[in-house]
Amino acid sequence: LAQAILVRGSQIAARHFTRPSTHNLGIMVKTTKFVADPSLQAKMHQYQIVGRAAPTPKNPVPKIYRMRLFAKNKVLAKSRFWYFMKKLNKAKKSGGELLAVNELFDTAPTKVKNYGIWLRYQS
């Protein structure tokens, strides 16, 4: 079984060709099957999460925080939100509430953008 790779737009497709055999008496049989390249699928999604600490008698109207996070799914994005809220604002999941969770999509996916990256390490 031979395989040829064809590039079409933003997807890479694989075309499979069968070689001549004794079963088809030397006639080349061509079968086409397009397979999307999994490396072109989005593994990370961008989410906008809005949340705050829960209202208390001491602070009846807490400050609202919005974060744009990259995560594989919605559950991990919410987890990362509370992780950073705990580190930055001393607000935990048990004493807070989420107001909105939205997935953000690129308006122009072929255009290059610059993103800041937060690196952390232990020395």
Side-chain angles (χ1 to χ4, degrees):
L1 187 65
Q3 187 177 31
I5 303 296
L6 299 174
V7 178
R8 285 195 174 181
S10 63
Q11 288 190 345
I12 296 177
R15 231 181 231 206
H16 301 281
F17 299 99
T18 58
R19 290 190 178 143
S21 66
T22 57
H23 299 290
N24 56 14
L25 302 173
I27 299 170
M28 179 72 82
V29 177
K30 182 172 80 169
T31 60
T32 59
K33 179 181 176 186
F34 290 103
V35 180
D37 187 8
S39 67
L40 295 174
Q41 301 298 320
K43 293 179 184 170
M44 298 294 279
H45 301 275
Q46 188 176 13
Y47 292 94
Q48 172 181 287
I49 302 185
V50 181
R52 66 178 183 175
T56 61
K58 189 175 181 181
N59 188 7
V61 183
K63 191 173 178 182
I64 296 173
Y65 293 95
R66 177 177 67 104
M67 288 187 196
R68 290 170 53 165
L69 300 166
F70 285 94
K72 288 186 178 183
N73 57 40
K74 192 185 242 186
V75 174
L76 291 176
K78 289 192 267 186
S79 174
R80 299 307 294 165
F81 173 79
W82 287 117
Y83 173 81
F84 288 121
M85 285 290 284
K86 187 168 43 173
K87 294 281 185 186
L88 298 172
N89 305 320
K90 294 185 179 178
K92 297 193 309 186
K93 183 179 178 182
S94 61
E97 59 186 1
L98 290 177
L99 302 175
V101 179
N102 302 326
E103 185 174 354
L104 302 177
F105 298 99
D106 286 337
T107 54
T110 58
K111 188 176 178 183
V112 177
K113 299 173 205 67
N114 295 327
Y115 286 100
I117 299 174
W118 184 349
L119 296 175
R120 58 185 178 149
Y121 63 94
Q122 295 177 351
S123 60

